[in-house]
Amino acid sequence: MPASDPISASLAHAEPVPFWLDPTIPGQAPPEPRPPLTGATSADLAVVGGGYSGLWTALIAKERAPGRDVVLVEARTAGWAASGRNGGFCSASLTHGHANGADRWPDEIAELERAGRDNLDGIEAAVRRHGIECEFERTGELLVATEPWQAADLAEQAERMRRLGYEAVLLDREETRAEVDSPTYVGGLFDPATAMVHPAKLARGLREACLRAGVRIFEHTPVRAIRPDPAGLRLETRGGSVRARRVAWGTGAFPGPLRRLRAYVVPVYDYALMTEPLTTEQRAAIGWKGRQGVSDCGNQFHYYRLTSDGRVLWGGYDVVYHYGGRVRPEYDQRPETFQTLARNFFATFPQLEGVRFTHRWGGVIDTCSRFCAFFGTAFGGRLAYASGFTGLGVGATRFGAQVMLDRLAGASTARTRLEMVRTRPIPFPPEPVRFAGIEITRRSMAAADRAGGRRNLWLRALDAVGLGFDS
Protein backbone atom coordinates (compact mmCIF):
# COMPACT_ATOMS: atom_id res chain seq x y z
CA MET A 1 0.00 0.00 0.00
CA PRO A 2 1.21 3.56 -0.61
CA ALA A 3 2.67 5.41 2.34
CA SER A 4 -0.18 7.93 2.16
CA ASP A 5 -2.73 5.22 2.91
CA PRO A 6 -4.26 6.03 6.34
CA ILE A 7 -4.21 2.40 7.50
CA SER A 8 -0.53 2.01 6.67
CA ALA A 9 0.17 5.37 8.28
CA SER A 10 -1.51 4.24 11.52
CA LEU A 11 0.84 1.24 11.67
CA ALA A 12 4.01 2.91 10.44
CA HIS A 13 5.66 3.30 13.85
CA ALA A 14 4.19 0.29 15.67
CA GLU A 15 6.88 -1.64 17.49
CA PRO A 16 6.92 -5.40 16.69
CA VAL A 17 6.80 -6.45 20.36
CA PRO A 18 3.97 -7.27 22.80
CA PHE A 19 2.99 -4.08 24.61
CA TRP A 20 2.81 -5.86 27.96
CA LEU A 21 6.40 -7.11 27.64
CA ASP A 22 7.91 -3.87 26.35
CA PRO A 23 10.53 -2.88 28.95
CA THR A 24 10.51 0.76 27.77
CA ILE A 25 6.99 1.20 29.18
CA PRO A 26 7.19 2.57 32.76
CA GLY A 27 6.71 -0.16 35.37
CA GLN A 28 7.32 -3.04 32.95
CA ALA A 29 10.99 -3.81 33.47
CA PRO A 30 11.37 -7.60 33.57
CA PRO A 31 12.78 -9.37 36.63
CA GLU A 32 16.17 -10.98 36.52
CA PRO A 33 15.78 -14.48 35.06
CA ARG A 34 16.28 -17.43 37.33
CA PRO A 35 19.34 -19.54 36.49
CA PRO A 36 18.83 -22.68 34.42
CA LEU A 37 19.00 -26.11 36.00
CA THR A 38 22.43 -27.67 35.95
CA GLY A 39 22.95 -31.18 37.23
CA ALA A 40 20.42 -33.40 38.96
CA THR A 41 17.84 -32.43 41.56
CA SER A 42 14.74 -33.98 43.12
CA ALA A 43 11.40 -32.76 44.40
CA ASP A 44 8.06 -33.93 45.69
CA LEU A 45 6.33 -32.14 42.80
CA ALA A 46 7.80 -30.97 39.51
CA VAL A 47 5.80 -28.41 37.53
CA VAL A 48 6.58 -27.99 33.84
CA GLY A 49 5.72 -24.62 32.31
CA GLY A 50 6.09 -21.11 33.66
CA GLY A 51 2.87 -19.64 32.33
CA TYR A 52 -0.32 -19.17 34.33
CA SER A 53 -1.03 -22.90 34.40
CA GLY A 54 2.29 -23.89 35.93
CA LEU A 55 2.57 -20.86 38.21
CA TRP A 56 -0.89 -21.37 39.71
CA THR A 57 -0.14 -25.07 40.19
CA ALA A 58 3.12 -24.43 42.00
CA LEU A 59 1.65 -21.70 44.20
CA ILE A 60 -1.48 -23.64 45.17
CA ALA A 61 0.60 -26.75 45.82
CA LYS A 62 2.64 -24.80 48.38
CA GLU A 63 -0.48 -23.29 49.90
CA ARG A 64 -2.02 -26.74 50.33
CA ALA A 65 1.17 -28.22 51.78
CA PRO A 66 3.80 -25.61 52.71
CA GLY A 67 6.39 -28.28 53.45
CA ARG A 68 6.13 -29.82 50.00
CA ASP A 69 9.27 -29.43 47.87
CA VAL A 70 8.16 -27.94 44.54
CA VAL A 71 10.35 -27.33 41.49
CA LEU A 72 9.13 -25.42 38.43
CA VAL A 73 11.02 -25.56 35.12
CA GLU A 74 10.36 -23.21 32.21
CA ALA A 75 11.84 -23.42 28.72
CA ARG A 76 12.20 -19.63 28.35
CA THR A 77 11.19 -17.17 31.08
CA ALA A 78 8.01 -17.21 33.13
CA GLY A 79 5.15 -15.45 31.35
CA TRP A 80 7.04 -15.19 28.06
CA ALA A 81 4.43 -16.90 25.86
CA ALA A 82 0.62 -16.60 25.92
CA SER A 83 0.54 -15.61 29.59
CA GLY A 84 2.49 -12.42 28.88
CA ARG A 85 0.95 -11.34 25.60
CA ASN A 86 -2.81 -12.01 25.78
CA GLY A 87 -5.61 -9.45 26.00
CA GLY A 88 -5.90 -9.58 29.79
CA PHE A 89 -9.54 -10.75 29.90
CA CYS A 90 -9.86 -12.72 33.14
CA SER A 91 -13.23 -14.39 32.64
CA ALA A 92 -15.22 -16.45 35.11
CA SER A 93 -16.17 -18.81 32.30
CA LEU A 94 -14.47 -22.20 32.35
CA THR A 95 -16.14 -23.23 29.09
CA HIS A 96 -15.23 -20.46 26.62
CA GLY A 97 -18.50 -18.70 27.22
CA HIS A 98 -21.88 -19.70 28.56
CA ALA A 99 -23.27 -20.86 25.22
CA ASN A 100 -20.46 -23.35 24.56
CA GLY A 101 -20.77 -24.81 28.06
CA ALA A 102 -24.55 -25.04 27.90
CA ASP A 103 -24.43 -26.80 24.54
CA ARG A 104 -21.85 -29.36 25.64
CA TRP A 105 -22.79 -29.96 29.29
CA PRO A 106 -26.42 -28.87 29.74
CA ASP A 107 -26.81 -30.88 32.94
CA GLU A 108 -23.70 -29.34 34.47
CA ILE A 109 -23.82 -25.78 33.22
CA ALA A 110 -25.20 -24.35 36.47
CA GLU A 111 -22.42 -26.03 38.45
CA LEU A 112 -19.80 -24.98 35.90
CA GLU A 113 -20.97 -21.37 36.09
CA ARG A 114 -20.81 -21.41 39.90
CA ALA A 115 -17.36 -23.00 39.83
CA GLY A 116 -16.19 -20.35 37.38
CA ARG A 117 -17.42 -17.50 39.54
CA ASP A 118 -15.85 -19.06 42.61
CA ASN A 119 -12.62 -19.34 40.63
CA LEU A 120 -12.70 -15.66 39.68
CA ASP A 121 -13.28 -14.75 43.32
CA GLY A 122 -10.31 -16.94 44.20
CA ILE A 123 -8.09 -15.14 41.70
CA GLU A 124 -9.06 -11.75 43.11
CA ALA A 125 -8.42 -12.98 46.66
CA ALA A 126 -5.01 -14.40 45.69
CA VAL A 127 -4.01 -11.18 43.94
CA ARG A 128 -4.79 -9.26 47.12
CA ARG A 129 -3.30 -11.84 49.50
CA HIS A 130 0.01 -11.96 47.64
CA GLY A 131 0.15 -8.25 46.86
CA ILE A 132 0.26 -8.80 43.10
CA GLU A 133 0.14 -5.41 41.35
CA CYS A 134 -1.44 -6.49 38.07
CA GLU A 135 -4.04 -3.76 37.49
CA PHE A 136 -6.89 -6.12 38.41
CA GLU A 137 -10.20 -4.39 37.61
CA ARG A 138 -13.53 -6.19 37.94
CA THR A 139 -15.08 -4.31 35.04
CA GLY A 140 -17.26 -6.97 33.46
CA GLU A 141 -17.47 -7.68 29.74
CA LEU A 142 -19.74 -6.18 27.11
CA LEU A 143 -20.62 -8.57 24.28
CA VAL A 144 -21.69 -6.49 21.30
CA ALA A 145 -23.76 -7.47 18.30
CA THR A 146 -22.92 -5.86 14.98
CA GLU A 147 -25.56 -7.79 13.00
CA PRO A 148 -29.22 -8.59 13.79
CA TRP A 149 -28.53 -12.34 13.94
CA GLN A 150 -25.92 -11.73 16.63
CA ALA A 151 -28.40 -9.69 18.67
CA ALA A 152 -30.87 -12.58 18.50
CA ASP A 153 -28.19 -14.97 19.75
CA LEU A 154 -27.42 -12.65 22.65
CA ALA A 155 -31.09 -12.50 23.62
CA GLU A 156 -31.20 -16.31 23.78
CA GLN A 157 -28.01 -16.40 25.85
CA ALA A 158 -29.36 -13.79 28.27
CA GLU A 159 -32.53 -15.81 28.79
CA ARG A 160 -30.57 -19.01 29.50
CA MET A 161 -28.40 -17.21 32.03
CA ARG A 162 -31.38 -15.67 33.78
CA ARG A 163 -33.01 -19.08 34.11
CA LEU A 164 -29.89 -20.20 35.96
CA GLY A 165 -30.10 -17.20 38.23
CA TYR A 166 -27.10 -15.32 36.84
CA GLU A 167 -27.08 -11.64 36.10
CA ALA A 168 -26.99 -10.79 32.41
CA VAL A 169 -28.14 -7.38 31.22
CA LEU A 170 -29.48 -7.34 27.65
CA LEU A 171 -29.05 -3.98 25.93
CA ASP A 172 -30.64 -2.48 22.84
CA ARG A 173 -28.76 -0.41 20.27
CA GLU A 174 -29.00 2.88 22.16
CA GLU A 175 -28.18 1.33 25.52
CA THR A 176 -25.14 -0.42 24.06
CA ARG A 177 -23.87 2.75 22.41
CA ALA A 178 -24.35 4.60 25.68
CA GLU A 179 -21.75 2.24 27.20
CA VAL A 180 -19.26 2.27 24.29
CA ASP A 181 -20.15 4.27 21.22
CA SER A 182 -19.72 2.63 17.84
CA PRO A 183 -22.03 3.06 14.86
CA THR A 184 -21.61 -0.66 14.15
CA TYR A 185 -23.45 -1.81 17.30
CA VAL A 186 -27.03 -3.07 17.11
CA GLY A 187 -27.27 -4.54 20.62
CA GLY A 188 -25.30 -5.94 23.52
CA LEU A 189 -25.15 -8.10 26.61
CA PHE A 190 -23.28 -7.15 29.77
CA ASP A 191 -21.80 -9.95 31.85
CA PRO A 192 -20.29 -8.72 35.14
CA ALA A 193 -18.24 -11.89 35.70
CA THR A 194 -15.05 -10.73 33.99
CA ALA A 195 -12.04 -8.75 35.22
CA MET A 196 -9.31 -6.96 33.30
CA VAL A 197 -5.66 -7.51 34.21
CA HIS A 198 -2.20 -6.59 32.97
CA PRO A 199 -1.31 -10.12 31.83
CA ALA A 200 2.47 -9.93 32.13
CA LYS A 201 2.29 -8.32 35.57
CA LEU A 202 -0.04 -11.11 36.70
CA ALA A 203 2.42 -13.76 35.49
CA ARG A 204 5.38 -11.99 37.09
CA GLY A 205 3.44 -11.47 40.30
CA LEU A 206 2.59 -15.16 40.49
CA ARG A 207 6.25 -15.95 39.85
CA GLU A 208 7.33 -13.78 42.76
CA ALA A 209 4.65 -15.28 45.00
CA CYS A 210 5.95 -18.75 44.13
CA LEU A 211 9.50 -17.75 44.98
CA ARG A 212 8.42 -16.29 48.32
CA ALA A 213 6.54 -19.52 49.08
CA GLY A 214 9.72 -21.52 48.51
CA VAL A 215 9.16 -22.84 44.98
CA ARG A 216 12.46 -23.45 43.21
CA ILE A 217 12.20 -21.99 39.71
CA PHE A 218 14.61 -22.80 36.89
CA GLU A 219 14.21 -20.75 33.70
CA HIS A 220 15.75 -21.46 30.30
CA THR A 221 15.31 -25.12 31.20
CA PRO A 222 13.35 -26.99 28.50
CA VAL A 223 12.30 -30.55 29.25
CA ARG A 224 13.58 -32.94 26.59
CA ALA A 225 12.23 -36.27 27.85
CA ILE A 226 10.07 -37.91 30.53
CA ARG A 227 11.33 -41.20 31.97
CA PRO A 228 9.84 -43.58 34.54
CA ASP A 229 11.96 -43.64 37.66
CA PRO A 230 11.86 -45.63 40.93
CA ALA A 231 11.15 -42.33 42.71
CA GLY A 232 8.29 -41.49 40.31
CA LEU A 233 9.35 -39.74 37.10
CA ARG A 234 12.56 -38.23 35.81
CA LEU A 235 12.46 -35.10 33.64
CA GLU A 236 15.52 -34.77 31.47
CA THR A 237 16.37 -31.17 30.67
CA ARG A 238 18.97 -29.50 28.52
CA GLY A 239 21.35 -29.13 31.43
CA GLY A 240 20.27 -31.67 34.01
CA SER A 241 17.35 -33.66 35.37
CA VAL A 242 14.57 -33.55 37.96
CA ARG A 243 13.38 -36.61 39.82
CA ALA A 244 9.89 -36.11 41.24
CA ARG A 245 7.18 -38.22 42.82
CA ARG A 246 4.55 -36.32 40.84
CA VAL A 247 4.59 -34.04 37.78
CA ALA A 248 2.12 -31.35 36.72
CA TRP A 249 2.31 -30.52 33.01
CA GLY A 250 1.12 -27.03 32.05
CA THR A 251 2.87 -26.11 28.82
CA GLY A 252 -0.04 -24.69 26.81
CA ALA A 253 0.59 -24.76 23.08
CA PHE A 254 3.97 -26.49 23.54
CA PRO A 255 3.32 -30.19 24.32
CA GLY A 256 7.02 -31.09 24.14
CA PRO A 257 7.72 -34.75 24.90
CA LEU A 258 4.19 -35.41 26.23
CA ARG A 259 3.12 -36.86 22.91
CA ARG A 260 -0.47 -37.70 23.82
CA LEU A 261 -1.35 -34.00 23.77
CA ARG A 262 -0.45 -33.57 20.12
CA ALA A 263 -3.64 -35.14 18.82
CA TYR A 264 -5.82 -32.87 20.93
CA VAL A 265 -4.09 -29.48 20.82
CA VAL A 266 -3.17 -27.32 17.86
CA PRO A 267 -1.19 -24.08 18.17
CA VAL A 268 -2.97 -21.20 16.46
CA TYR A 269 -1.71 -17.65 16.11
CA ASP A 270 -3.72 -14.72 17.40
CA TYR A 271 -2.75 -11.08 16.80
CA ALA A 272 -3.22 -7.73 18.48
CA LEU A 273 -2.54 -4.02 18.16
CA MET A 274 -2.15 -1.34 20.83
CA THR A 275 -2.92 2.32 20.24
CA GLU A 276 -1.17 5.34 21.64
CA PRO A 277 -2.87 6.78 24.75
CA LEU A 278 -6.14 8.45 23.76
CA THR A 279 -6.62 12.12 24.42
CA THR A 280 -9.45 13.38 26.62
CA GLU A 281 -11.37 14.37 23.48
CA GLN A 282 -10.89 10.96 21.87
CA ARG A 283 -12.09 9.18 25.00
CA ALA A 284 -15.14 11.42 25.13
CA ALA A 285 -15.92 10.58 21.49
CA ILE A 286 -16.31 6.87 22.27
CA GLY A 287 -17.57 7.00 25.86
CA TRP A 288 -16.37 3.80 27.51
CA LYS A 289 -16.60 5.21 31.02
CA GLY A 290 -17.09 1.78 32.56
CA ARG A 291 -13.78 0.41 31.18
CA GLN A 292 -15.47 -2.90 30.34
CA GLY A 293 -13.78 -5.45 28.19
CA VAL A 294 -15.57 -5.71 24.85
CA SER A 295 -15.97 -8.58 22.40
CA ASP A 296 -18.07 -8.66 19.28
CA CYS A 297 -20.10 -11.70 18.36
CA GLY A 298 -18.93 -12.67 14.90
CA ASN A 299 -17.41 -16.05 14.18
CA GLN A 300 -14.31 -14.01 13.38
CA PHE A 301 -14.46 -11.78 16.42
CA HIS A 302 -12.52 -8.91 17.92
CA TYR A 303 -11.75 -8.38 21.59
CA TYR A 304 -10.73 -4.99 22.93
CA ARG A 305 -10.15 -3.16 26.17
CA LEU A 306 -8.62 -0.07 27.75
CA THR A 307 -5.27 -0.06 29.51
CA SER A 308 -4.49 1.82 32.70
CA ASP A 309 -2.94 4.67 30.69
CA GLY A 310 -5.87 5.00 28.29
CA ARG A 311 -4.70 2.99 25.28
CA VAL A 312 -6.96 0.62 23.35
CA LEU A 313 -5.88 -2.97 22.82
CA TRP A 314 -7.51 -4.34 19.69
CA GLY A 315 -7.07 -8.03 18.88
CA GLY A 316 -8.53 -11.16 17.37
CA TYR A 317 -10.35 -11.75 14.07
CA ASP A 318 -7.69 -13.74 12.20
CA VAL A 319 -6.83 -17.19 13.54
CA VAL A 320 -3.84 -18.67 11.74
CA TYR A 321 -2.67 -22.28 11.80
CA HIS A 322 0.56 -23.31 10.10
CA TYR A 323 0.94 -26.71 8.50
CA GLY A 324 2.24 -29.32 10.91
CA GLY A 325 1.56 -27.08 13.89
CA ARG A 326 4.77 -25.14 13.27
CA VAL A 327 5.62 -22.46 15.83
CA ARG A 328 8.32 -20.00 14.79
CA PRO A 329 9.37 -16.53 16.01
CA GLU A 330 8.76 -14.98 12.59
CA TYR A 331 5.08 -15.98 12.78
CA ASP A 332 4.60 -13.45 15.61
CA GLN A 333 4.45 -10.78 12.90
CA ARG A 334 1.87 -10.92 10.10
CA PRO A 335 1.53 -7.63 8.18
CA GLU A 336 -1.66 -8.60 6.36
CA THR A 337 -3.40 -9.34 9.65
CA PHE A 338 -2.27 -6.06 11.17
CA GLN A 339 -3.70 -4.25 8.15
CA THR A 340 -7.01 -6.07 8.62
CA LEU A 341 -7.09 -5.32 12.33
CA ALA A 342 -6.37 -1.63 11.79
CA ARG A 343 -9.00 -1.36 9.07
CA ASN A 344 -11.62 -2.99 11.29
CA PHE A 345 -10.63 -0.78 14.24
CA PHE A 346 -11.36 2.40 12.32
CA ALA A 347 -14.58 0.92 10.91
CA THR A 348 -15.69 0.32 14.51
CA PHE A 349 -14.50 3.67 15.81
CA PRO A 350 -14.47 6.21 12.96
CA GLN A 351 -14.33 8.87 15.69
CA LEU A 352 -10.71 7.85 16.28
CA GLU A 353 -9.45 8.66 12.81
CA GLY A 354 -5.80 9.64 13.02
CA VAL A 355 -4.96 7.51 16.07
CA ARG A 356 -1.66 5.67 15.74
CA PHE A 357 -0.73 2.18 16.86
CA THR A 358 2.40 1.84 18.97
CA HIS A 359 2.71 -1.97 19.19
CA ARG A 360 1.84 -4.97 17.02
CA TRP A 361 2.36 -8.60 17.98
CA GLY A 362 1.11 -12.15 17.84
CA GLY A 363 1.45 -15.40 19.72
CA VAL A 364 0.22 -18.96 19.91
CA ILE A 365 -2.88 -20.22 21.70
CA ASP A 366 -3.48 -23.86 22.68
CA THR A 367 -6.83 -24.58 21.08
CA CYS A 368 -8.79 -27.83 21.10
CA SER A 369 -11.90 -29.05 19.35
CA ARG A 370 -14.29 -28.27 22.20
CA PHE A 371 -12.98 -24.70 22.73
CA CYS A 372 -12.12 -25.13 26.42
CA ALA A 373 -9.67 -26.94 28.65
CA PHE A 374 -9.40 -30.69 29.01
CA PHE A 375 -7.58 -32.72 31.63
CA GLY A 376 -5.90 -36.08 32.02
CA THR A 377 -3.15 -38.18 33.56
CA ALA A 378 -0.27 -40.27 32.29
CA PHE A 379 2.39 -42.61 33.62
CA GLY A 380 -0.01 -44.40 35.93
CA GLY A 381 -1.34 -41.21 37.47
CA ARG A 382 2.09 -39.81 38.34
CA LEU A 383 1.69 -37.01 35.80
CA ALA A 384 -1.36 -34.78 35.37
CA TYR A 385 -1.98 -32.26 32.61
CA ALA A 386 -4.37 -29.47 31.65
CA SER A 387 -4.42 -28.04 28.15
CA GLY A 388 -6.56 -26.58 25.36
CA PHE A 389 -7.68 -23.40 27.13
CA THR A 390 -8.42 -21.75 23.76
CA GLY A 391 -7.83 -18.16 24.70
CA LEU A 392 -9.55 -18.17 28.10
CA GLY A 393 -6.58 -19.29 30.15
CA VAL A 394 -6.16 -16.10 32.17
CA GLY A 395 -8.86 -17.26 34.55
CA ALA A 396 -9.44 -20.94 33.79
CA THR A 397 -5.82 -21.98 34.36
CA ARG A 398 -6.27 -21.56 38.11
CA PHE A 399 -9.16 -24.05 37.99
CA GLY A 400 -7.01 -26.33 35.85
CA ALA A 401 -4.20 -26.16 38.39
CA GLN A 402 -6.55 -27.32 41.12
CA VAL A 403 -7.77 -30.19 38.93
CA MET A 404 -4.19 -31.33 38.30
CA LEU A 405 -3.34 -31.24 42.00
CA ASP A 406 -6.54 -33.09 42.88
CA ARG A 407 -5.72 -35.76 40.31
CA LEU A 408 -2.13 -36.14 41.51
CA ALA A 409 -3.39 -36.54 45.07
CA GLY A 410 -5.88 -39.20 43.98
CA ALA A 411 -8.69 -37.10 45.45
CA SER A 412 -12.31 -37.25 44.36
CA THR A 413 -13.56 -33.67 44.47
CA ALA A 414 -16.44 -31.65 43.04
CA ARG A 415 -14.00 -30.57 40.33
CA THR A 416 -12.78 -34.03 39.33
CA ARG A 417 -16.31 -35.42 39.23
CA LEU A 418 -17.43 -32.94 36.56
CA GLU A 419 -18.14 -34.49 33.17
CA MET A 420 -16.15 -31.65 31.64
CA VAL A 421 -13.12 -32.82 33.63
CA ARG A 422 -13.69 -36.54 33.11
CA THR A 423 -14.01 -36.37 29.32
CA ARG A 424 -11.68 -35.31 26.55
CA PRO A 425 -12.38 -33.52 23.26
CA ILE A 426 -12.46 -35.23 19.90
CA PRO A 427 -8.89 -35.34 18.57
CA PHE A 428 -7.86 -33.48 15.45
CA PRO A 429 -7.01 -35.69 12.47
CA PRO A 430 -3.38 -36.09 11.38
CA GLU A 431 -1.80 -34.02 8.62
CA PRO A 432 -2.54 -33.24 5.85
CA VAL A 433 -6.21 -33.69 6.75
CA ARG A 434 -5.76 -31.50 9.84
CA PHE A 435 -4.51 -28.51 7.87
CA ALA A 436 -7.16 -28.91 5.16
CA GLY A 437 -9.95 -29.24 7.73
CA ILE A 438 -8.85 -26.17 9.65
CA GLU A 439 -8.61 -24.10 6.46
CA ILE A 440 -12.07 -25.19 5.31
CA THR A 441 -13.44 -24.37 8.76
CA ARG A 442 -11.84 -20.90 8.80
CA ARG A 443 -13.27 -20.07 5.39
CA SER A 444 -16.68 -21.44 6.33
CA MET A 445 -16.78 -19.32 9.48
CA ALA A 446 -15.95 -16.21 7.47
CA ALA A 447 -18.68 -17.13 4.98
CA ALA A 448 -21.18 -17.56 7.83
CA ASP A 449 -20.41 -14.03 9.04
CA ARG A 450 -21.15 -12.72 5.55
CA ALA A 451 -24.35 -14.78 5.29
CA GLY A 452 -26.20 -13.54 8.35
CA GLY A 453 -24.83 -16.29 10.59
CA ARG A 454 -26.07 -19.15 8.40
CA ARG A 455 -23.73 -22.10 8.82
CA ASN A 456 -22.95 -24.19 5.77
CA LEU A 457 -23.06 -27.96 5.55
CA TRP A 458 -19.45 -28.29 6.71
CA LEU A 459 -20.01 -26.29 9.89
CA ARG A 460 -23.30 -28.07 10.61
CA ALA A 461 -21.52 -31.42 10.30
CA LEU A 462 -18.84 -30.27 12.74
CA ASP A 463 -21.52 -29.05 15.14
CA ALA A 464 -23.22 -32.45 14.99
CA VAL A 465 -20.11 -34.33 16.10
CA GLY A 466 -18.87 -31.73 18.56
CA LEU A 467 -15.83 -30.55 16.61
CA GLY A 468 -14.76 -26.95 16.29
CA PHE A 469 -11.91 -24.54 15.79
CA ASP A 470 -11.52 -21.21 17.56
CA SER A 471 -9.13 -18.92 19.43
Side-chain angles (χ1 to χ4, degrees):
M1 286 190 176
S4 60
D5 176 76
I7 300 301
S8 296
S10 72
L11 293 162
H13 301 291
E15 295 291 334
V17 295
F19 169 81
W20 313 113
L21 297 174
D22 184 349
T24 68
I25 302 297
Q28 294 189 174
E32 285 295 318
R34 302 294 297 174
L37 176 65
T38 57
T41 191
S42 62
D44 298 319
L45 172 68
V47 179
V48 182
Y52 297 141
S53 188
L55 292 167
W56 278 120
T57 302
L59 183 59
I60 295 170
K62 291 294 285 186
E63 290 177 336
R64 289 186 180 185
R68 178 162 30 190
D69 185 16
V70 179
V71 163
L72 184 149
V73 293
E74 159 58 36
R76 297 284 293 268
T77 57
W80 162 80
S83 296
R85 60 183 68 203
N86 62 82
F89 283 62
C90 188
S91 172
S93 178
L94 304 175
T95 60
H96 208 275
H98 176 87
N100 185 54
D103 288 344
R104 296 182 183 278
W105 301 287
D107 296 334
E108 282 188 351
I109 187 60
E111 187 174 357
L112 288 167
E113 291 281 339
R114 285 192 296 273
R117 282 163 170 75
D118 289 345
N119 183 62
L120 183 58
D121 290 342
I123 292 171
E124 183 173 16
V127 164
R128 292 178 176 173
R129 183 169 65 253
H130 294 285
I132 299 174
E133 298 293 336
C134 62
E135 301 171 16
F136 187 98
E137 296 181 86
R138 203 144 180 175
T139 61
E141 182 178 8
L142 180 64
L143 305 175
V144 296
T146 59
E147 299 287 345
W149 65 270
Q150 298 171 11
D153 287 349
L154 287 180
E156 292 180 9
Q157 179 173 328
E159 181 57 33
R160 287 197 301 265
M161 294 178 74
R162 287 173 186 147
R163 285 199 297 267
L164 291 171
Y166 297 120
E167 181 182 358
V169 182
L170 190 67
L171 307 173
D172 62 21
R173 181 196 301 263
E174 289 72 26
E175 291 168 329
T176 304
R177 293 189 63 175
E179 296 294 325
V180 183
D181 191 12
S182 168
T184 65
Y185 298 165
V186 299
L189 175 68
F190 178 70
D191 181 357
T194 298
M196 296 293 111
V197 300
H198 185 302
K201 287 183 178 179
L202 175 60
R204 290 169 178 173
L206 289 171
R207 175 185 182 271
E208 292 308 306
C210 284
L211 290 171
R212 289 195 299 270
V215 177
R216 292 184 287 145
I217 296 178
F218 298 96
E219 295 180 313
H220 296 290
T221 303
V223 174
R224 303 302 195 194
I226 312 167
R227 310 288 188 198
D229 186 89
L233 293 172
R234 185 176 76 256
L235 305 177
E236 297 180 358
T237 73
R238 186 166 56 193
S241 64
V242 182
R243 283 186 169 86
R245 294 177 57 247
R246 297 289 184 268
V247 173
W249 198 270
T251 58
F254 304 91
L258 191 59
R259 296 182 180 275
R260 67 180 59 200
L261 291 180
R262 298 179 185 180
Y264 296 97
V265 174
V266 296
V268 299
Y269 276 82
D270 182 53
Y271 295 90
L273 300 173
M274 187 70 83
T275 73
E276 61 193 348
L278 301 186
T279 65
T280 301
E281 293 75 18
Q282 289 166 336
R283 280 288 300 275
I286 60 173
W288 214 340
K289 296 177 182 178
R291 297 182 56 81
Q292 313 93 320
V294 184
S295 298
D296 65 45
C297 298
N299 291 301
Q300 291 182 290
F301 66 94
H302 301 94
Y303 55 87
Y304 38 114
R305 47 82 55 97
L306 294 168
T307 63
S308 62
D309 62 349
R311 302 168 187 261
V312 179
L313 177 143
W314 179 265
Y317 199 75
D318 276 350
V319 182
V320 180
Y321 172 74
H322 295 278
Y323 187 88
R326 293 192 297 266
V327 176
R328 295 177 178 172
E330 57 265 32
Y331 295 158
D332 288 355
Q333 297 295 312
R334 194 167 191 265
E336 59 267 42
T337 290
F338 298 136
Q339 289 274 335
T340 298
L341 284 172
R343 188 177 301 110
N344 292 350
F345 174 86
F346 290 113
T348 301
F349 294 123
Q351 313 96 303
L352 298 182
E353 180 182 359
V355 165
R356 297 293 185 255
F357 297 101
T358 61
H359 296 76
R360 52 183 167 86
W361 72 93
V364 288
I365 291 171
D366 54 326
T367 194
C368 71
S369 64
R370 72 183 193 184
F371 307 148
C372 59
F374 64 94
F375 314 90
T377 60
F379 295 97
R382 288 171 289 177
L383 181 149
Y385 58 83
S387 192
F389 288 93
T390 316
L392 253 67
V394 180
T397 45
R398 179 180 178 274
F399 176 85
Q402 292 174 307
V403 169
M404 286 193 283
L405 291 171
D406 289 348
R407 285 271 181 85
L408 291 174
S412 175
T413 66
R415 286 182 290 269
T416 62
R417 290 190 292 269
L418 289 166
E419 183 183 357
M420 173 196 173
V421 171
R422 293 184 290 104
T423 59
R424 288 187 292 184
I426 296 172
F428 291 100
E431 301 287 17
V433 177
R434 176 181 295 193
F435 181 80
I438 288 174
E439 282 301 299
I440 294 170
T441 303
R442 289 180 66 241
R443 296 179 185 184
S444 296
M445 290 166 65
D449 283 337
R450 296 191 298 268
R454 292 188 297 275
R455 298 170 75 79
N456 63 17
L457 182 61
W458 175 263
L459 292 179
R460 293 198 301 273
L462 294 182
D463 293 340
V465 298
L467 270 169
F469 175 76
D470 205 349
S471 70

